[in-house]
């Protein structure tokens, strides 16, 4: 199993970013996928999940509802996180995760290496 994130960057408040996670080593369409972020000075925070198959079911933490959109492209084996109206509190390392446990733990499930998002003036 391999998950490779990209798209993180430095952006000003109110800006947008799109994160991508390219997967390999497993039947992509069969698994739900999640984004989890690690905020400086805080623990891991689940951000969003998309169901397997067509990705009909999407869930978000309250703090990002209405601003972030998760999606998947099974042909490209890629999951996306479109982030709009970014705030400084969105700063952190964003991880793509398969088989996420609760609460999130990096030693459980499959995690990418993460991509850094920094929202600041």
């Amino acid at each position: 199993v391999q998950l490779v994130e990209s798209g993180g960057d430095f952006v000003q408040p109110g800006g947008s970013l799109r994160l991508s996670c390219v997967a390999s080593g497993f039947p992509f369409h069969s698994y739900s996928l999640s984004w989890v972020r690690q905020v400086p000075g805080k623990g891991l925070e689940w951000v969003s999940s998309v169901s397997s198959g067509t990705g009909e079911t999407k869930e978000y933490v309250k703090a990002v509802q209405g601003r972030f959109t998760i999606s998947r492209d099974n042909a490209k084996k890629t999951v996306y996180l479109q982030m709009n109206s970014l705030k400084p509190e969105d700063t952190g390392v964003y991880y793509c995760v398969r088989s996420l446990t609760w609460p999130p733990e990096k030693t459980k499930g499959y995690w990418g290496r993460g991509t850094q998002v920094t929202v600041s003036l």
Side-chain angles (χ1 to χ4, degrees):
V1 174
Q2 189 172 18
L3 302 164
V4 180
E5 304 95 334
S6 63
D9 205 344
F10 182 98
V11 63
Q12 293 186 346
S16 297
L17 285 174
R18 188 176 80 155
L19 305 184
S20 299
C21 170
V22 179
S24 61
F26 64 97
F28 182 80
H29 65 281
S30 297
Y31 288 87
S32 62
L33 292 158
S34 302
W35 288 96
V36 175
R37 65 188 178 189
Q38 188 159 28
V39 179
K42 299 176 67 175
L44 296 168
E45 179 184 39
W46 168 76
V47 175
S48 181
S49 295
V50 61
S51 58
S52 60
T54 61
E56 183 175 353
T57 301
K58 302 174 182 181
E59 298 176 295
Y60 303 92
V61 67
K62 186 176 181 180
V64 308
Q65 284 180 349
R67 300 189 297 123
F68 290 12
T69 303
I70 192 170
S71 61
R72 65 188 298 157
D73 185 331
N74 290 335
K76 294 182 178 180
K77 297 184 180 181
T78 302
V79 61
Y80 303 98
L81 186 67
Q82 177 66 43
M83 306 188 296
N84 298 329
S85 302
L86 282 162
K87 303 176 181 181
E89 51 263 42
D90 294 319
T91 293
V93 179
Y94 283 70
Y95 297 94
C96 178
V97 186
R98 196 207 91 177
S99 302
L100 181 68
T101 60
W102 193 263
E105 294 182 40
K106 288 185 180 179
T107 57
K108 299 180 180 179
Y110 296 91
W111 294 64
R113 292 189 176 184
T115 186
Q116 175 71 47
V117 172
T118 303
V119 185
S120 181
L121 291 171

